Amino acid sequence: MSDSYQPKPDHKFTFGLWTVGNPGGDAFGQPVRRKLSPVEIVHVVAEAGAYGVNLHDNDLVPIDANAAECDRIVAEFKRALSDTGIVVPMATTNLFSDPAFKDGAFTANDPKVRAYALQKTMRAIDLGVELGAKIYVFWGGREGVESDAAKNPLDAGKRFREAINFLCEYVRDNRYDLKFALEAKPNEPRGDIYLPTTGAMLGFIATLDHPDMVGVNPEMAHEQMAGLDFMHAVAQAWDAGKLFHIDLNDQNFCRYDQDFRFGSHNLKQSFFLVKFLEDVGYAGSRHFDAHAYRTEDAEGVKDFARGCMRSYLILKDKTARFNADAEIQALLKEINADDPTVAAFAGKYSRDKANALKAHPFDRIALGNRGMRYEKLDQLVFDLLMGIR
Ligand code: GCO
Ligand code: MN
Ligand code: MN
């Protein structure tokens, strides 16, 4: 591989322990790779050139570990972090693997399960903060239903709101420097998951007691599962000041959660996403929530991790080329040109402006006849991405 797309810590590339560590089991087959220890994973991502690792509580400390085991595991992990310079910018709770959470966690119908989920999350927040995390992700994997007979979505929404409010207070009470990022997914593992899109999460955040502490963690594959344009969701989150974190991966539309290597499938969508993040100056982690194909061995996992970062950096380079391309920029200028004959109508409302606009003569036929030149522009983008320009 060429040296010009080498990842550096400044790029803020991160991987979950559960991503590089994914042993390749699926609903139809056994794991195909040896399960790496958290310490081994830290070394793999460090060698690949990443900046950090993120984790669920139980990616590091097994759910049934006692206090002494927990202390030993955390100490070994911290040693691996300091040996490699790898940091932990984000942490989260596993509220979906254990059978206790089969009906959800914060939205479960059983009040004991809801209380246990809060307890587990407070403990996991303590662990995340101890490891240096500044972002805490909530992915409600099992916060949903197979049958609407079982749960009222209004009750579920109320329970989820109460839980996030409670945990915001917990963070404030402990004076932790920590923000929450809510991650939407339309389905899988539940038949339907509540708050299924990033847009739904943004609406929900406005109903919380401390909305300033809470943003979103949009995931590319999750919006694509619903057939949506991921970059548009990211743009809305950015506009709202809520893009606290991002999960990058790829997959085909309207399928199960494929979690493919970033850049592996939708070239143009990936390009416009990277272009958006780079153009606006997003400064958070670029987290790859993906895993290697089930066909891969340990070396293939490294290819996967290096590939995610390399593709991002290539698309970042393409962004610079797009922004510097005279022909593309001239077309964009033409497409977006102001028109002095209507400039006075733009912006804030006034009664005079409204009356003048109502009286203004428009040549509707000419408006409809104008060619926009998007075909030409889009082909230039294609040529650029294919390395022809
Ligand atoms: C998934 C999710 C998870 C979350 C993770 C951290 O579909 O499995 O994307 O990987 O991102 O639980 O919140
Ligand atoms: Mn996912
Ligand atoms: Mn994710």
Side-chain angles (χ1 to χ4, degrees):
M1 281 191 181
S2 129
D3 270 344
S4 46
Y5 302 110
Q6 278 300 318
K8 299 190 192 77
D10 280 359
H11 295 130
K12 301 255 182 88
F13 291 134
T14 63
F15 290 88
L17 287 182
W18 70 95
T19 64
V20 171
N22 184 300
D26 65 20
F28 301 92
Q30 303 297 316
V32 292
R33 297 183 281 267
R34 181 175 70 79
K35 200 171 179 319
L36 301 178
S37 72
V39 167
E40 286 176 303
I41 298 170
V42 169
H43 285 278
V44 171
V45 300
E47 268 168 45
Y51 163 73
V53 287
N54 303 315
L55 50 94
H56 302 87
D57 49 355
N58 304 136
D59 296 339
L60 182 61
V61 183
I63 196 165
D64 50 4
N66 63 33
E69 284 162 346
C70 176
D71 289 349
R72 178 184 54 77
I73 292 167
V74 172
E76 278 174 9
F77 186 67
K78 282 183 170 170
R79 208 170 312 126
L81 294 175
S82 73
D83 286 350
T84 55
I86 289 289
V87 296
V88 178
M90 177 273 258
T92 182
T93 330
N94 185 327
L95 295 173
F96 43 88
S97 293
D98 195 86
F101 299 120
K102 63 190 174 193
D103 184 35
F106 303 134
T107 66
N109 275 336
D110 184 337
K112 277 207 188 76
V113 172
R114 300 202 295 273
Y116 173 55
L118 276 182
Q119 181 203 66
K120 191 172 192 293
T121 304
M122 287 189 289
R123 290 178 177 174
I125 285 176
D126 296 343
L127 173 66
V129 169
E130 183 185 342
L131 294 171
K134 297 276 189 290
I135 298 288
Y136 202 84
V137 163
F138 290 83
W139 170 61
R142 297 211 186 259
E143 311 291 14
V145 283
E146 285 70 42
S147 167
D148 281 324
K151 224 180 274 180
N152 179 334
L154 290 177
D155 291 339
K158 185 167 168 284
R159 291 170 186 167
F160 194 61
R161 182 178 303 113
E162 273 174 13
I164 299 293
N165 283 339
F166 185 99
L167 294 165
C168 281
E169 295 297 351
Y170 179 73
V171 166
R172 288 161 63 89
D173 195 23
N174 284 279
R175 301 192 186 292
Y176 288 155
D177 176 15
L178 191 70
K179 288 192 162 186
F180 291 173
L182 309 184
E183 178 178 344
K185 185 174 181 180
N187 58 273
E188 197 192 336
R190 295 312 293 267
D192 285 282
I193 300 179
Y194 297 123
L195 301 168
T197 61
T198 299
M201 284 299 182
L202 289 169
F204 172 77
I205 290 168
T207 72
L208 295 171
D209 289 348
H210 298 289
D212 291 356
M213 291 175 66
V214 186
V216 290
N217 176 37
E219 172 167 323
M220 186 148 174
H222 294 179
E223 303 286 326
Q224 289 171 332
M225 286 170 73
L228 300 174
D229 186 311
F230 181 57
M231 190 268 274
H232 294 185
V234 170
Q236 189 189 352
W238 176 264
D239 182 60
K242 293 295 185 193
L243 189 64
F244 289 6
H245 199 263
I246 193 164
D247 277 6
L248 301 174
N249 50 16
D250 206 353
Q251 74 163 70
N252 216 336
F253 276 81
C254 299
R255 299 207 176 167
Y256 70 96
D257 192 18
Q258 295 181 304
D259 284 336
F260 289 157
R261 187 183 78 256
F262 181 65
S264 64
H265 209 87
N266 294 291
L267 255 191
K268 276 170 71 181
Q269 293 238 336
S270 304
F271 166 66
F272 284 115
L273 174 70
V274 170
K275 180 172 172 341
F276 180 85
L277 295 175
E278 296 301 322
D279 282 349
V280 298
Y282 167 73
S285 293
R286 274 87 172 149
H287 174 232
F288 298 107
D289 190 7
H291 49 78
Y293 302 144
R294 192 162 181 272
T295 49
E296 301 309 292
D297 59 7
E299 198 48 40
V301 170
K302 291 181 187 169
D303 291 336
F304 149 81
R306 286 190 293 250
C308 286
M309 297 183 284
R310 181 175 169 83
S311 297
Y312 188 99
L313 292 174
I314 292 172
L315 294 174
K316 183 177 171 179
D317 178 56
K318 295 287 181 191
T319 296
R321 286 171 196 264
F322 180 103
N323 291 340
D325 188 299
E327 199 176 352
I328 289 177
Q329 292 308 316
L331 262 180
L332 282 174
K333 211 169 156 202
E334 188 185 320
I335 287 164
N336 289 291
D338 283 337
D339 186 324
T341 65
V342 289
F345 303 133
K348 225 171 142 45
Y349 176 87
S350 76
R351 188 175 294 171
D352 285 350
K353 211 185 249 187
N355 286 336
L357 178 55
K358 279 167 88 178
H360 185 79
F362 283 99
D363 183 349
R364 180 176 49 79
I365 306 293
L367 290 179
N369 281 340
R370 181 185 168 199
M372 300 303 293
R373 316 199 69 194
Y374 296 169
E375 287 285 4
K376 178 161 188 167
L377 177 64
D378 192 67
Q379 186 64 39
L380 290 174
V381 174
F382 182 85
D383 287 3
L384 185 134
L385 291 181
M386 292 298 120
I388 309 298
R389 46 188 307 114

